[in-house]
Amino acid sequence: MKAKNNLLKNESPLSIARRLFGLTNEALLYWQRVDTLSLFEVMLLFYGVIPERVLNCPLGKIIDETHREFLSYLRIHFPKTEYTDPIPHFVRWLDEEELQNLLERSFPQLDPFDVSSRERNLSTSSIIQWMKSKNLSFPIKEPDNQKESPPEQEEDIKRTILDYDMARLRPEQQAKLICRTTAASLWKANKKLSLRDVLKHPLFKKTISIAQEIIKKTDPIDPKTIEDWIRDLNPNYSPKK
C-alpha cells in the first residue's frame, strides 16, 4: 500500500485522469450529441478525459475500482482539511496547457468556483469554433449536415443515450435534462414557437415544477438559467458571433 501511495504521489494529475477515465469511442459518441458544455466538461474533453467520470466522482461513496484509486489520489493531494470539494482544484491542476485561463478570458461570465456559474453552459458549436480560432484540437467536431448518419450509427447513438446511467448526473444536470427534453418536444411539434412561447407553455411550466423538486431548492430556478438551458434547441435560434 505504501509503494502504491508513492506511485500516486508521483503521477501527474493529467496522467491519472487519462489512465483511469480516458475518453473512449463510446463516450465520445455520446458527447458528440450534446448541445451545450460546461467549462469543466470542455477542459476534460480537450484533454481526452470522460467528463462525468471526474465531475461526478462519488466523494463519499466508492462505487468502482477506478474511483477507489482516484479517491486515494485526491486524499493524498487534497486533504479534507483544505478542500471541501477537491474536483474543481483537480481539474485546474491537470490543465497543463492553461486552457482554463484562455477560456475564462474569452468567456468571462464563467466562474468555475461559483456553483451557479457551472450550469451556465456554452453551446458546443461555439466551443468548436473557438477551438478552431485558437488552433486547438478538440475531439468533438461539427456535424456534417450534408450527410445523414447510417442506420447502424443512429442505432448506436440511440443505444448510448438510452443506456446512459442517469444516476451519474447531478440534480442540477437532471433538472436541466428534463427541461431540455420538454422544450425539444414542444419545438418538434411546432417549429414556429418562440422561446417565450415555450417558457409559458403549460407543459413546460409543469416540467419546471418537477425540476424544482429535483434540485430541492426553496427559491425558484433563475428564469435566465432556464432560458440558457433550452435556447439553443429553438429551430430559429441563431447564436451570436
Side-chain angles (χ1 to χ4, degrees), residues 35-80:
D35 295 313
T36 63
L37 296 168
S38 71
L39 175 63
F40 286 164
E41 287 169 348
V42 171
M43 292 175 62
L44 291 168
L45 286 168
F46 174 79
Y47 285 107
V49 179
I50 300 176
E52 66 270 26
R53 296 290 282 163
V54 173
L55 300 179
N56 297 334
C57 174
L59 298 175
K61 180 181 178 182
I62 298 171
I63 59 174
D64 55 48
E65 191 58 36
T66 52
H67 274 116
R68 184 187 301 275
E69 184 173 348
F70 185 54
L71 285 171
S72 297
Y73 190 87
L74 293 179
R75 291 186 185 114
I76 291 173
H77 294 283
F78 300 97
K80 283 187 177 180

Side-chain angles (χ1 to χ4, degrees), residues 16-186:
I16 194 167
R18 282 176 171 166
R19 178 167 63 80
L20 296 179
F21 311 123
L23 190 61
T24 62
N25 289 335
E26 181 180 7
L28 182 57
L29 184 63
Y30 166 78
W31 285 98
Q32 182 70 41
R33 302 282 290 184
V34 171
D35 295 313
T36 63
L37 296 168
S38 71
L39 175 63
F40 286 164
E41 287 169 348
V42 171
M43 292 175 62
L44 291 168
L45 286 168
F46 174 79
Y47 285 107
V49 179
I50 300 176
E52 66 270 26
R53 296 290 282 163
V54 173
L55 300 179
N56 297 334
C57 174
L59 298 175
K61 180 181 178 182
I62 298 171
I63 59 174
D64 55 48
E65 191 58 36
T66 52
H67 274 116
R68 184 187 301 275
E69 184 173 348
F70 185 54
L71 285 171
S72 297
Y73 190 87
L74 293 179
R75 291 186 185 114
I76 291 173
H77 294 283
F78 300 97
K80 283 187 177 180
T81 54
E82 296 181 33
Y83 302 94
T84 303
D85 182 0
I87 299 301
H89 302 277
F90 174 80
V91 175
R92 183 152 204 159
W93 199 32
L94 66 74
D95 185 15
E96 296 181 356
E97 297 186 35
E98 298 186 356
L99 178 67
Q100 183 169 328
N101 288 335
L102 286 174
L103 285 165
E104 287 174 347
R105 287 177 179 274
S106 297
F107 306 97
Q109 72 272 28
L110 298 177
D111 179 357
F113 293 96
D114 176 359
V115 175
S116 62
S117 174
R118 293 183 205 174
E119 297 305 319
R120 297 175 198 157
N121 293 358
L122 303 167
S123 72
T124 302
S125 178
S126 67
I127 288 297
I128 293 172
Q129 295 302 318
W130 182 84
M131 289 286 180
K132 287 181 180 178
S133 71
K134 302 298 180 183
N135 292 319
L136 296 171
S137 177
F138 196 56
I140 297 179
K141 310 299 181 185
E142 284 280 20
D144 184 353
N145 295 325
Q146 303 304 315
K147 298 179 181 179
E148 292 187 2
S149 300
E152 61 272 16
Q153 183 177 341
E154 287 291 341
E155 287 303 314
D156 287 342
I157 292 170
K158 291 177 185 177
R159 192 177 303 110
T160 299
I161 294 173
L162 293 174
D163 292 346
Y164 185 77
D165 182 6
M166 294 300 170
R168 291 181 178 180
L169 300 179
R170 299 188 302 276
E172 290 79 6
Q173 292 173 316
Q174 294 173 354
K176 175 182 176 181
L177 179 61
I178 64 168
C179 286
R180 286 179 65 79
T181 300
T182 300
S185 178
L186 292 172

